[in-house]
Amino acid sequence: MEDVQVAVALRTTTTVAYGQIRDAHEALTLFPLLFARVEAGELPVEWLRRVIHRSRDLPEEDRRGLDGVMGDWEFGVTSETFRRLLGELITWFTSLLDLSSVERAQRRRHIGVPVVGVDGTASLTVTGPVPEILAFARSLDAAAETLQAAQRHALDDDDEVPFDEDGSVRGSGKTMTRGRLRYEALLRGEVNTDGHEVPAARFAILVTIPFLTLLGRSEAPALLEGKHPIPADMARELAGECPEWMRILTDPVTGAFLPLPPERYRPSAQMVTHVRLRGPECAVPGCGRASCRGVEVDHIEEFDHDHPGEGGVTEIENLHVLCWSHHQVKTVHDIDPVRLRDDGKSSGGGTDRGNDGSVKHGGSRSSVVDPGIPVSRTLGRTHWSLGDAVELTVQDQGDLMTPFIVRELETAWHQHLATT
């Protein structure tokens, strides 16, 4: 809850907020002498932050010992000198540990979270002991060399070219580069789980493509998982390879995802998909955990299992996705979300019908010309109370391209009228 409060106040993510809280706590409790030098203006705060981060693999007692050694240093040195001295001191403290350098490196084995770029690409970082990583890289090299030789022989003998699904190798008469073949070998390799069955994926990867982009009449980008823009040509290529599409209706002005009808306690797959489109990340403000992994569909107003008629309704206006940790925080009522209606009243997701045939689904109101066909719908809103310190209202995610395309069409129409 404190991570969320700090994230909202600083307009950042809960991950960044947690890092700042942790740094501040460690600065005061593990490095009091260096913190006093910061307060006295004798040590740049960035230098203290570097000490905190560089020493994070050391036990707490060694980090306090580091503070004792550095507490009376003279800091009138260059940044480069400070980094060198700090590195030597960290190495010294590390060498006194019972772990060997190999064991320390083994503890740092991990694969980082994908970093998504703005050009439709992403990168993945693999960290581990040098011998293991080099051996892994050489195995990929060997696979790439083997595949490259196979492609070369296939071109010479006019046989089927391996890994040439789009025919680019056959068309150009040139083999793929080794870098590309390393990627292909890694991407198509099987992950060894030592006999343990991997459950089927809970979610498909969502790619939201504007209709005009799909038709090739617009270059508006698509959205991968509701937040990563991908170029129009890449989106069309993905759509062309997909065996089936889902049509998602959005409001023609605001881009709000139009809701599906209410159902039972356990939401249907279509309702879950809609909620994921509406919120590609954990619904708690500042949390960046993607809604496609490690999240739970939650009733905003709690469903009453003992008295179903008295609790929150299972409909999309009363559903959102939460990561497991924030789901627990909500369960103990440290954070309290309330779904809002356009008239300013709160709603846990009930549906009201007006005398004019309009329908009110928690977040907004729609006038209906024909049954079931909404004419206008605003983006829904959820009000969050984060402990006793922070309150804010968060608007749903929508189809981000619709408003831009609408303005483009309006401009073209006005230009047409002006010329006629």
Side-chain angles (χ1 to χ4, degrees):
M1 183 182 65
E2 291 170 348
D3 297 343
V4 175
Q5 291 173 345
V6 172
V8 171
L10 298 181
R11 299 186 180 184
T12 186
T13 64
T14 53
T15 301
V16 173
Y18 168 75
Q20 296 205 25
I21 294 173
R22 180 182 60 181
D23 287 353
H25 176 260
E26 292 182 350
L28 288 170
T29 59
L30 301 180
F31 300 96
L33 298 179
L34 290 178
F35 186 76
R37 301 291 296 274
V38 171
E39 284 188 306
E42 300 169 354
L43 175 68
V45 66
E46 289 301 324
W47 289 17
L48 175 56
R49 185 173 286 115
R50 175 170 290 275
V51 174
I52 293 171
H53 292 178
R54 286 291 308 275
S55 66
R56 191 146 280 154
D57 291 337
L58 294 174
E60 284 193 1
E61 57 270 21
D62 286 348
R63 301 179 78 187
R64 292 190 177 93
L66 194 67
D67 181 61
V69 172
M70 300 181 67
D72 57 356
W73 273 14
E74 291 295 333
F75 293 111
V77 296
T78 65
S79 175
E80 292 78 10
T81 299
F82 175 78
R83 293 187 183 190
R84 180 180 57 80
L85 294 174
L86 174 62
E88 292 176 356
L89 194 57
I90 294 291
T91 302
W92 177 44
F93 270 84
T94 302
S95 66
L96 299 178
L97 299 177
D98 293 333
L99 296 176
S100 68
S101 58
V102 174
E103 291 173 319
R104 288 193 296 272
Q106 289 174 341
R107 287 191 172 190
R108 302 189 64 183
R109 288 190 183 104
H110 74 281
I111 295 180
V113 176
V115 178
V116 179
V118 297
D119 57 350
T121 62
S123 60
L124 198 63
T125 302
V126 182
T127 303
V130 172
E132 293 180 2
I133 296 300
L134 289 181
F136 176 58
R138 286 170 183 168
S139 69
L140 289 178
D141 285 340
E145 291 172 5
T146 301
L147 290 170
Q148 199 171 50
Q151 288 187 342
R152 188 178 300 110
H153 291 313
L155 289 173
D156 293 339
D157 300 337
D158 200 23
D159 292 335
E160 182 179 354
V161 180
F163 284 11
D164 187 28
E165 295 178 354
D166 59 358
S168 59
V169 174
R170 172 67 64 187
S172 65
K174 298 180 179 179
T175 65
M176 292 180 181
T177 64
R178 289 189 181 181
R180 170 70 184 276
L181 288 170
R182 290 189 201 100
Y183 177 85
E184 295 292 341
L186 180 61
L187 191 66
R188 302 178 192 217
E190 294 185 359
V191 178
N192 182 10
T193 58
D194 199 19
H196 296 279
E197 183 179 356
V198 178
R202 293 178 57 198
F203 299 112
I205 295 177
L206 294 177
V207 182
T208 308
I209 309 174
F211 183 60
L212 292 180
T213 297
L214 197 60
L215 290 179
R217 303 301 298 270
S218 172
E219 294 302 306
L223 284 177
L224 182 69
E225 289 300 334
K227 59 179 182 177
H228 303 305
I230 61 175
D233 56 351
M234 180 182 291
R236 286 189 286 265
E237 182 178 347
L238 288 173
E241 297 173 351
C242 189
E244 63 178 2
W245 302 345
M246 290 185 298
R247 183 184 66 176
I248 305 296
L249 298 178
T250 61
D251 183 271
V253 176
T254 65
F257 295 106
L258 300 182
L260 300 173
E263 291 193 15
R264 55 197 182 283
Y265 164 68
R266 187 172 297 280
S268 67
Q270 292 85 353
M271 296 171 75
V272 173
T273 298
H274 177 96
V275 173
R276 284 184 58 212
L277 285 165
R278 199 176 70 194
E281 298 166 327
C282 170
V284 171
C287 183
R289 293 183 179 92
S291 63
C292 61
R293 293 292 304 275
V295 295
E296 300 165 345
V297 178
D298 172 64
H299 287 72
I300 297 175
E301 179 184 348
E302 288 79 1
F303 185 89
D304 192 329
H305 292 271
D306 297 326
H307 306 91
E310 300 178 8
V313 181
T314 302
E315 64 174 1
I316 60 171
E317 279 298 325
N318 190 41
L319 297 175
H320 58 188
V321 290
L322 298 177
C323 66
W324 67 268
S325 57
H326 286 136
H327 197 170
Q328 296 301 314
V329 177
K330 175 180 177 291
T331 299
V332 297
H333 304 292
D334 281 340
I335 58 178
D336 183 26
V338 176
R339 195 68 172 165
L340 299 181
R341 304 189 310 195
D342 281 350
D343 56 10
K345 299 179 181 179
S346 63
S347 171
T351 301
D352 301 332
R353 294 190 178 273
N355 296 329
D356 57 354
S358 61
V359 180
K360 190 175 292 183
H361 286 277
S364 53
R365 189 178 184 88
S366 297
S367 299
V368 177
V369 177
D370 294 322
I373 303 178
V375 174
S376 177
R377 179 170 292 276
T378 59
L379 293 168
R381 296 167 297 140
T382 303
H383 184 79
W384 292 83
S385 298
L386 309 174
D388 299 327
V390 177
E391 292 192 8
L392 78 160
T393 299
V394 178
Q395 193 175 62
D396 289 344
Q397 172 87 337
D399 171 19
L400 301 181
M401 286 296 102
T402 291
F404 294 101
I405 294 174
V406 167
R407 286 198 289 270
E408 185 177 316
L409 293 173
E410 286 179 340
T411 300
W413 175 245
H414 291 311
Q415 290 175 346
H416 167 73
L417 293 179
T419 58
T420 58

